[in-house]
Amino acid sequence: MAKKVLLEKAHIKGIRAYDVYKAQGGYASVEKALKMDPAAIVEEVKKSGLRGRGGAGFPTGMKWSFLAKPEGVPRYLVCNADESEPGTFKDRYLMEFLPHLLIEGLIVSSFALGSNSTYIYIRGEYAWIVNILEQAIEEAKQHGYLGKNILNTGFDCEIYVQRGAGAYICGEETALIESLEGKRGNPRIKPPFPAIKGLWDCPTVVNNVETIAAVVPIINMGGEEYAKIGVGRSTGTKLLSACGNINKPGVYEIDMTISVEEFIFSDEYCGGIPNGKRLKACIPGGSSVPILPANLLLKTAKGETRYMNYESLSDGGFATGSMMGSGGFIVLDEDQCIVRHTMSLARFYRHESCGQCSPCREGTGWMEKILTKIENGKGQSSDIDLLWDIQRKIEGNTICPLGDAAAWPVAAAIRHFRDEFEWHVNNPSLCLTENYGLAHYADELSIVS
Amino acid sequence: MLKFSDNKLKEVKKIIDRYPQGKQKSALIPLLHMAQSEFGGWLSPESMDYIASLLTIDPIEVYEVATFYSMYNLQPVGKHVFEVCQTGPCMLNGSDNIINYIKTKLNIGVGETTEDGLFTLKTVECLGACGYAPMMQLGDHYREHLTKEKVDAIIEECRGKE
Ligand SMILES: Cc1cc2nc3c(=O)[nH]c(=O)nc-3n(C[C@H](O)[C@H](O)[C@H](O)COP(=O)(O)O)c2cc1C
Ligand code: SF4
Ligand code: FES
């Protein structure tokens, strides 16, 4: 049984309420942290090796130590609860079932960073979770953990929940800040980074919900103990949201030492593929990361077992590997069409592009059009090359990483499943009724149970 | 003239107080949500102008924002809006069939409203419920693990509210 430090208590009846949460040892980290020097808290987080859980995996302690502290200027902590990357629904789970864990983490983090007004920016569609969080904030306040002079330390802190209104791009931290200022979610050109000039031009840290929640066990057990969970630079636990063609979709906490094969096939996690179907492919870290065919998913190109951690998932780079990303784990069985799935993701990115940079604005629409053509049996061989060309011209040429995020899924689909694209082009009517299935790598698939 | 109730105006003040002095524009997105739910499920130019006046900002600043975010309806919609997710993970679990079923059942296309003004069908992108697919948003809540039978029941439930 893997070690759990976040969801351990998620199943306790009534844990959403303050009294039950508190009786289970809740808010101990606040009691402990508020007696510490803020710099010592940052030090613990550094020692823990915690990496941002929002997708980029940037070391949290380092990010915190970059925060500028000019005299007389407020600093802000903003919690990113925008969660809109297809395949990702872990933050929702955490907020819905353990709202006090997030609030507890936010109080400790706000104290460490010196934020007296902290904002949770939550995607607008999670309307009912706003109420759950506001209730938890109210309870924390009644018990003296929020408000003025918390635990007689002289530290004041308020937490506010701000609802978005439907825009994936507002998960990008500078777009999020713009949105929080009441504007369109157009990402800013960096530098300056938010740590210097963020919300209302003040120094700001933006962290994911899961990152903030992880601060609680880090303070409780100490950074060094936390770092002992996991492996190498993948310390601690990671929440994964598993979906697609699996028997047990849901949110799982893993300690990053298990193999991808175990995660997909064991009953403790995804429970295998339904209806006796075989595994075709998987997008292991949210829609933006490269898709991998089954053979490269379970084993690296060198033939080693692939594990569910940052290093192993990215082993081989984009040529033969992928990324941990946001932990949105999307499984495709043998009946799924790669062209169709890629088309759906291309539509998503076209819809979500903020439109500021032409390679992203024009490129995402163009890719969707070509993919739709190929999917509908109207594509030509040259369209596949054109698609490759367009994605390459988007990557690295835009203000924010959404451009890359739109390019990568298309690139990986062509890289690993080119023959499926060609089959569509060569079989314009057959592809409307039949499926390419596992044709191109059936032999290699013998390694798959 | 459109106007929030006194209770709602108190809520408006509370929201504005969350931000530093002079940064009341930050209340724009929350207030547009409030306007949409108070004034008939969509944002008319009058509603938007009203919000501009409450925040002492220019109407254009409100239009810019209202047109950017997908949750704001800029045209009237039916009383019950079915927002069905069509993104990859939901597609893997048959969201296309659900969308087609609703189209046939209500005899409307995507983006259309039934003649009686009761239902609007919209397709949306990933709502963070991929493990509970297929799914849709209905008002402030999600309806997950959709089947044809569940869709029938939801339609009946909405009709029952009339
Ligand atoms: C297009 C785009 C969407 C993003 N969406 C999210 C999101 O929904 N949630 C999130 O925490 N981070 C998201 N990020 C990453 C944030 O920009 C930022 O790196 C993160 O919130 C930092 O927190 P962390 O260091 O705790 O991971 C997104 C980035 C991009 C480019
Ligand atoms: S890359 Fe796309 S989403 Fe990002 S700023 Fe440019 S146009 Fe907007
Ligand atoms: S893909 Fe439909 S909710 Fe995520």
Side-chain angles (χ1 to χ4, degrees), chain B residues 85 87 89-90 126-130 135:
Chain B
C85 172
T87 312
C90 274
C126 182
L127 294 183
C130 331
M135 63 80 63

Side-chain angles (χ1 to χ4, degrees), chain A residues 248-295:
Chain A
K248 290 172 60 196
V251 176
Y252 298 99
E253 181 172 5
I254 61 155
D255 74 1
M256 298 199 265
T257 57
I258 64 168
S259 69
V260 177
E261 184 162 3
E262 180 182 352
F263 186 67
I264 297 180
F265 293 100
S266 97
D267 282 335
E268 197 180 329
Y269 302 107
C270 303
I273 321 272
N275 309 318
K277 300 277 180 196
R278 288 191 301 169
L279 174 67
K280 177 168 183 173
C282 172
I283 304 174
S287 62
S288 304
V289 311
I291 189 170
L292 287 178
N295 53 330

Side-chain angles (χ1 to χ4, degrees), chain A residues 181-183, chain B residues 22-29 31-32 48-63 65:
Chain A
E181 291 181 357
K183 303 180 203 152
Chain B
K23 304 296 181 195
Q24 78 280 5
K25 187 174 172 181
S26 283
L28 179 52
I29 290 172
L31 294 201
L32 286 175
M48 292 193 267
D49 292 351
Y50 175 58
I51 298 298
S53 72
L54 282 180
L55 292 174
T56 56
I57 56 178
D58 291 329
I60 182 74
E61 296 178 73
V62 180
Y63 307 155
V65 165

